[in-house]
Amino acid sequence: MCGIIGCVGVRDSMGRLITGLENLEYRGYDSAGVAIQNGKGVEVYKRSGRVDELKKATPDKHAEIGIGHTRWSTHGPPTDDNAHPHTSTKEDVAVVHNGIIENYSDLRHKLEAKGHEFTSDTDTEVIPHLVQDFLDEGKDPETAFRETIKMLEGSYAIGCIVDNHGAVMATRQGSPLVLGVDDDAFYLASDVPAFLDYTDRVMYLEDGDVAIIRKGDLQLSDIEGVTVDRDVETVDWDPSETGKGSYDHYMLKEINTQPTALSNTIQGRADVENGQVNLEEFPPGTFEDIDSIHLVACGTSYHAAMYGSNMLSEGGVATTAFRASEYELHTNTIDENTLVIAVTQSGETADTLGAMRTAKEKGAEVVAVTNVVGSTAAREADQPLYIRAGPEIGVAATKTFSSQVVSLTMLSQRILDDLERGTPRGDMPEFLESLQRLPDDIERVLEHDDAKNIARRYSDAKSYFFIGRGTANAVALEGALKFKEITYEHAEGFAAGELKHGPLALITDRTPVFAVFTGDEEQDKKTLTNAQEAQTRGAPIIAIAPKDHPSLEFADEHLEVPSTNSAWAGLLANVQLQLVSYYAADQLSRPIDKPRNLAKSVTVE
């Protein structure tokens, strides 16, 4: 949610700001704006709606310093006035901000008492007014900025420019901010793809860092002005990965590039010859003192966590997947022998970071399963495990879910190897061979268009149900989430056995039921019975299963997946459900990559 871009040191900063905002559109937003400094004061241009609307309103001007923003509304509706950047009364200061200023109301009342006039409903607007207030007291811009930061409570990433100062000032606290480094030019952003067209050299700011960025010069310090050092890293993302290529939508591209993403996830980690999983981050013995395991996550990542929890539980190790936003209710179950696995695609999800910090305060060991090198989760965890999926632009997560599931399943095997009470798989050779084959199996799923045809046939349904057991339950929940978030149609996922405990009351002949089968004979038999219960009440049944599965004797429709080890069958079914959601949304002409009210990275609680 929300995106920040800044540029210092190139004459076409305006153009690069707009490009950065376009690159950040995937984060979700409802307005956009830029502020430039070109020797004639601070000029601000902002519009509600899409970046294209802003583009039409910005003149072709040269400026070496500028900041920009895409806003996802928290305080105040999406209007031109509420769009960022925000300025002070004198319009000498412009600010962009991600996060929430929790004490903004008190600050605003104090500033209004001093004569400051506010023009928006946002919490952000107090920041430029505070800076201006300190400037009016005679403080220089950098001191005014630092004094302002000291007064803020909450989470924030901030970019600020002051007339005639010649620099962008920036800081972060609980919200991501990264610098791009390119010869004499610097970029400021909430996420690397914003400036990946121009540089792949990045510096990740940490909470409390204050950056003063001028052409050819970067000063990095803490809030008191004490110099700090941060490493410059090179990201291995190809700029072409952040484009749509020949695809109509990022989501379709990312569904279709899952074989490549999973090949990267698996590479060097599955040792078929020796029958073991090798994770260099976790040598043998890493987990031998663990008594309990918690997984914490939100949204799609939570469904991946459920999948991973199932894999550990099947191996004889009691494991619980928690929604990160609820984790603080379970702190009495955490101690120094607890392993907490935080699952977050971006590494910046506020609720998940909060759960990690709660766990660390209790002495637990924390592992972060994430996609973003240098993210807050990766830095704060005792050890990160990178899923290596590459950049994902579509708001609806697809390839990152698959890579999270594979990473968690491999991690579960490493944990089971370390714990005496754990039972390593009896089918390890076949499990690993199927894992190596997984990218090819997904490629086979993608070669058929059954999902498009089924999406068309059931386009007039009233509701869509998704059911499964065990790992298939996690896939059913994920399938329903994908469907509802991009089609805006009603969809629900259930543990298959729960249908008869209430949801059957909703079943009609306009309620297609997608039943996920994994090849686990005992679980599939029960799911089959539950699906038949729905069918006898009029519901059409769509079975996601191999071509020779028993469910095909009664199913109304079939989405075929290759036969594989039951550990991976759910992922093949998930690809089919992703395609159904995509094609259903496409037929409804939904904005698939930018679903309403949603953001890619949720950095507020």
Side-chain angles (χ1 to χ4, degrees), residues 66-382:
I67 52 177
H69 191 267
T70 53
R71 177 178 185 252
W72 191 83
S73 301
T74 52
H75 292 81
T79 63
D80 288 356
D81 285 340
N82 288 335
H84 295 214
H86 286 288
T87 59
S88 60
T89 302
K90 294 181 180 179
E91 298 188 349
D92 289 339
V93 181
V95 163
V96 292
H97 160 238
N98 289 354
I100 293 178
I101 305 303
E102 295 173 356
N103 62 332
Y104 87 97
S105 182
D106 289 340
L107 293 172
R108 179 167 176 156
H109 290 322
K110 291 175 182 176
L111 288 162
E112 286 175 329
K114 289 185 174 184
H116 288 259
E117 297 179 2
F118 286 76
T119 60
S120 79
D121 304 312
T122 70
D123 56 333
T124 300
E125 197 181 355
V126 300
I127 303 173
H129 283 273
L130 283 169
V131 174
Q132 183 69 64
D133 200 52
F134 285 116
L135 290 172
D136 291 344
E137 291 178 3
K139 293 182 170 58
D140 63 84
E142 293 171 25
T143 301
F145 185 64
R146 293 179 193 278
E147 292 301 315
T148 294
I149 297 167
K150 292 176 183 178
M151 299 189 71
L152 304 180
E153 297 175 7
S155 65
Y156 49 79
I158 299 170
C160 175
I161 58 176
V162 175
D163 189 25
N164 292 319
H165 180 224
V168 171
M169 300 179 288
T171 189
R172 63 158 285 175
Q173 182 67 44
S175 196
L177 205 56
V178 60
L179 296 178
V181 182
D182 183 27
D183 298 330
D184 287 341
F186 292 96
Y187 301 89
L188 175 74
S190 47
D191 207 350
V192 172
F195 54 71
L196 199 55
D197 290 324
Y198 308 112
T199 183
D200 60 359
R201 297 165 58 212
V202 304
M203 181 183 296
Y204 295 96
L205 300 187
E206 298 189 8
D207 283 352
D209 286 354
V210 176
I212 310 297
I213 311 159
R214 293 182 173 84
K215 182 178 180 179
D217 182 59
L218 168 65
Q219 299 171 30
L220 199 60
S221 63
D222 65 15
I223 197 169
E224 300 298 339
V226 178
T227 299
V228 297
D229 293 317
R230 302 288 177 239
D231 294 334
V232 175
E233 304 177 25
T234 301
V235 295
D236 60 1
W237 291 355
D238 186 329
S240 65
E241 290 186 79
T242 62
K244 284 188 290 190
S246 61
Y247 294 94
D248 291 334
H249 298 94
Y250 285 111
M251 182 179 180
L252 185 59
K253 175 188 176 183
E254 288 156 3
I255 291 172
N256 278 273
T257 55
Q258 284 178 105
T260 299
L262 285 175
S263 294
N264 293 334
T265 300
I266 297 165
Q267 185 178 16
R269 291 170 166 175
D271 186 350
V272 177
E273 185 176 341
N274 294 310
Q276 62 186 21
V277 170
N278 292 327
L279 298 177
E280 62 181 18
E281 300 91 340
F282 307 105
T286 299
F287 304 109
E288 60 186 9
D289 295 327
I290 295 301
D291 290 336
S292 60
I293 301 173
H294 298 172
L295 292 100
V296 294
C298 301
T300 286
S301 294
Y302 174 70
H303 299 150
M306 288 179 62
Y307 203 116
S309 176
N310 269 281
M311 300 307 296
L312 281 162
S313 295
E314 287 177 11
V317 177
T319 309
T320 305
F322 294 94
R323 289 181 172 84
S325 58
E326 298 286 308
Y327 193 53
E328 64 181 11
L329 304 176
H330 303 276
T331 56
N332 60 336
T333 65
I334 310 169
D335 60 29
E336 63 274 9
N337 297 117
T338 303
L339 171 65
V340 174
I341 303 171
V343 189
T344 163
Q345 180 276 136
S346 66
E348 304 294 349
T349 306
D351 288 322
T352 306
L353 292 174
M356 288 175 60
R357 291 161 184 159
T358 295
K360 294 201 76 168
E361 288 173 2
K362 294 284 186 174
E365 181 178 352
V366 176
V367 169
V369 177
T370 185
N371 194 37
V372 182
V373 176
S375 61
T376 302
R379 294 197 310 272
E380 293 192 6
D382 294 300

Side-chain angles (χ1 to χ4, degrees), residues 30-49:
D30 46 44
S31 60
V34 295
I36 57 170
Q37 187 180 335
N38 60 5
K40 299 179 181 179
V42 173
E43 298 182 30
V44 175
Y45 306 89
K46 55 186 183 177
R47 290 289 186 275
S48 61

